């Protein structure tokens, strides 16, 4: 069993999501002692305060998975210059009922990949604002605003040669961040 279990939250529901592919590629690069597992958010109902204390099984399972993780990795697309609603919903589900957030204190990082030239810069900033309120200590540097281009991923799903060292350096910083704050 890994010493550091990282919950990967992908803010896209699309089957062939660039962000999901990135999360899977990073997981394959994980050093010894680290494991990355995507936590599904597609079955979570819309957050409704009336359900606090009487959550459906999907919410209970999600909250338990986040609670059991040592660290967090968020991968977000950018929808209309912000984060997708499904990602915000997952954040809300994990933060409620008030005073029982499963996010607090877990070291995390934010990445995103998009076809746009600025990657997911605005969505990442919005996500960082929410995560700051939720008391998630975030890796600040290096920021990664990734444009999906040919060669980003190899046919086998790994990071392409031109970007491999860039991602490996980021992963090294993230691992050190988690060890220091986890």
């Amino acid at each position: 069993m890994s010493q550091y279990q990282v919950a990967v939250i992908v803010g896209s529901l699309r089957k062939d999501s660039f962000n999901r592919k990135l999360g899977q590629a990073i997981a394959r690069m994980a050093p010894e002692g680290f494991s990355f597992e995507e936590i599904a958010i597609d079955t979570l109902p819309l957050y409704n305060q009336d359900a606090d204390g009487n959550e459906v099984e999907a919410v209970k399972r999600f909250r338990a998975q986040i609670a059991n993780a040592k660290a967090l990795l968020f991968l977000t697309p950018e929808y209309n210059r912000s984060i997708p609603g499904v990602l915000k919903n997952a954040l809300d589900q994990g933060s409620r009922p008030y005073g029982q957030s499963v996010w607090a204190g877990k070291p995390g990082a934010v990445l995103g990949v998009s076809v746009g030239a600025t990657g997911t810069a605005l969505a990442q900033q919005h996500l960082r604002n929410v995560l700051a309120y939720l008391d998630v200590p975030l890796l600040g540097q290096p920021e990664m605003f990734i444009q999906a281009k040919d060669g980003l991923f190899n046919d086998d799903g790994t990071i392409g040669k031109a970007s491999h060292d860039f991602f490996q350096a980021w992963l090294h910083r993230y691992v050190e961040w988690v060890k220091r704050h986890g």
Side-chain angles (χ1 to χ4, degrees):
M1 182 162 214
S2 293
Q3 182 178 359
Y4 295 97
Q5 297 169 345
V6 179
V8 179
I9 298 92
V10 178
S12 174
L13 300 180
R14 191 169 67 90
K15 180 181 146 194
D16 292 325
S17 161
F18 295 128
N19 289 284
R20 179 164 293 108
K21 287 180 183 180
L22 180 57
Q24 292 166 349
I26 288 171
R28 293 169 77 171
M29 297 169 69
E32 186 174 328
F34 276 75
S35 64
F36 290 72
E37 178 186 1
E38 182 178 345
I39 308 300
I41 63 174
D42 60 336
T43 61
L44 296 174
L46 290 176
Y47 174 72
N48 180 340
Q49 191 173 6
D50 291 341
D52 282 1
N54 191 30
E55 293 85 1
V56 297
E57 195 57 41
V59 174
K60 290 177 185 176
R61 183 175 49 252
F62 173 75
R63 290 178 53 81
Q65 290 173 305
I66 300 301
N68 289 330
K70 295 284 186 196
L72 307 166
L73 175 59
F74 294 90
L75 297 133
T76 185
E78 187 168 298
Y79 294 173
N80 301 313
R81 297 192 179 191
S82 189
I83 61 174
V86 67
L87 178 54
K88 178 63 167 77
N89 184 59
L91 294 168
D92 292 343
Q93 290 287 11
S95 71
R96 303 299 295 202
Y98 182 80
Q100 298 178 33
S101 176
V102 295
W103 306 112
K106 293 186 185 294
V110 175
L111 296 175
V113 59
S114 170
V115 296
T118 59
T120 60
L122 293 172
Q124 287 188 45
Q125 187 57 52
H126 286 180
L127 181 54
R128 286 175 179 277
N129 289 341
V130 175
L131 293 172
Y133 178 77
L134 295 177
D135 193 26
V136 175
L138 289 172
L139 175 66
Q141 294 294 325
E143 292 180 310
M144 306 258 292
F145 308 122
I146 306 146
Q147 185 178 19
K149 291 184 175 181
D150 287 339
L152 178 60
F153 301 107
N154 293 322
D155 290 341
D156 65 358
T158 58
I159 300 293
K161 183 179 178 181
S163 299
H164 185 271
D165 290 347
F166 182 63
F167 280 99
Q168 191 66 59
W170 176 88
L171 183 57
H172 176 74
R173 288 286 306 270
Y174 175 68
V175 163
E176 292 304 313
W177 178 258
V178 170
K179 287 178 178 178
R180 188 169 39 242
H181 297 328

